[in-house]
Amino acid sequence: GENVGLHLPTLSVQEGDNSIINCAYSNSASDYFIWYKQESGKGPQFIIDIRSNMDKRQGQRVTVLLNKTVKHLSLQIAATQPGDSAVYFCAENFYGGATNKLIFGTGTLLAVQP
Amino acid sequence: NAGVTQTPKFRVLKTGQSMTLLCAQDMNHEYMYWYRQDPGMGLRLIHYSVGEGTTAKGEVPDGYNVSRLKKQNFLLGLESAAPSQTSVYFCASSPNTYILAGEPNEQFFGPGTRLTVL
């Protein structure tokens, strides 16, 4: 479920290690999912997406896994670099009436130790 | 191509004052959105627009008004600012087409406006 506390969940990894960030989504009717990266002082930036008819999608150094049975998403970052330090949000999309709507998770702070 | 821009970047208001945040996009997107982001929380949708001249309420619309007089601009107004409206505000836009095969359907975000209400 979502973390509504004041402190973000934090994942601390060593540079060069692989990172796995997890997300539970809420709506079984959601059919499209996005991972965003938000660096300090900036707006969210698209990383990778996946549709509900897929269970895995790979990008450059990133992989998203979708498990619809348990409503779970994960983002895997290979060979994590200091520039990957940011807050990562998952977002679920469903087409509600006239528009697609995104529901964002509370985010996970990824801290990469050099 | 500037993408999504927001003005101002920072603002401090006193309780009861009013102000307008401006969002502009140059991607010819039909949909535009205003979110607020509070510490330790995800983005919450305030209002959105599915086209010029249309607006609709999101998850947390109270205390805000919006207008979409031009396709490229989406204005967020605070009629009488309250300390609870201290937040970072993000504008976003997206194309109107629903998910095309092989195409992402992302929302493009601006850099944010940090608002403090004293």
Side-chain angles (χ1 to χ4, degrees):
Chain A
E2 291 192 344
N3 182 343
V4 295
L6 293 178
H7 301 287
L8 288 172
T10 300
L11 176 64
S12 185
V13 300
Q14 291 293 124
E15 181 178 357
D17 287 351
N18 296 333
S19 304
I20 299 177
I21 301 170
N22 295 304
C23 175
Y25 64 93
S26 57
N27 192 336
S28 57
S30 294
D31 55 5
Y32 178 68
F33 305 88
I34 306 176
W35 279 100
Y36 281 93
K37 173 185 180 183
Q38 187 177 22
E39 297 174 279
S40 181
K42 297 183 179 180
Q45 182 180 12
F46 174 91
I47 302 174
I48 191 169
D49 61 348
I50 188 168
R51 286 162 174 71
S52 59
N53 61 353
M54 304 169 69
D55 53 20
K56 180 178 180 179
R57 189 162 191 224
Q58 288 185 291
Q60 187 178 16
R61 279 202 311 120
V62 294
T63 301
V64 55
L65 300 178
L66 174 62
N67 185 331
K68 294 183 289 294
T69 302
V70 295
K71 293 190 287 186
H72 184 268
L73 273 172
S74 68
L75 177 70
Q76 301 177 2
I77 304 174
T80 312
Q81 302 168 0
D84 294 328
S85 293
V87 176
Y88 290 81
F89 293 95
C90 67
E92 57 183 301
N93 177 92
F94 63 96
Y95 196 72
T99 186
N100 57 311
K101 294 185 178 179
L102 282 180
I103 300 174
F104 287 83
T106 51
T108 296
L109 174 63
L110 177 64
V112 182
Q113 310 301 324
Chain B
N1 192 338
V4 180
T5 58
Q6 294 181 232
T7 53
K9 287 185 169 49
F10 303 94
R11 186 72 186 268
V12 178
L13 290 178
K14 295 181 180 178
T15 296
Q17 287 185 316
S18 63
M19 77 162 294
T20 301
L21 307 183
L22 171 63
C23 175
Q25 53 96 3
D26 60 3
M27 296 173 282
N28 201 35
H29 286 169
E30 288 292 336
Y31 294 0
M32 296 187 74
Y33 313 82
W34 275 107
Y35 293 90
R36 61 177 289 173
Q37 185 177 38
D38 299 298
M41 299 183 72
L43 291 96
R44 292 184 291 169
L45 183 64
I46 304 171
H47 286 281
Y48 64 96
S49 168
V50 301
E52 182 179 322
T54 72
T55 64
K57 293 181 179 180
E59 181 186 357
V60 288
D62 294 341
Y64 305 95
N65 58 72
V66 288
S67 64
R68 184 97 181 270
L69 298 179
K70 293 182 179 180
K71 185 177 183 179
Q72 63 268 32
N73 295 338
F74 195 28
L75 305 180
L76 177 71
L78 281 72
E79 299 151 344
S80 178
S84 62
Q85 294 178 303
T86 294
S87 189
V88 181
Y89 291 85
F90 288 99
C91 176
S93 70
S94 66
N96 67 337
T97 45
Y98 185 48
I99 301 167
L100 298 177
E103 294 290 326
N105 195 31
E106 65 186 282
Q107 292 182 13
F108 296 80
F109 285 84
T113 295
R114 185 173 295 274
L115 176 66
T116 301
V117 183
L118 303 175

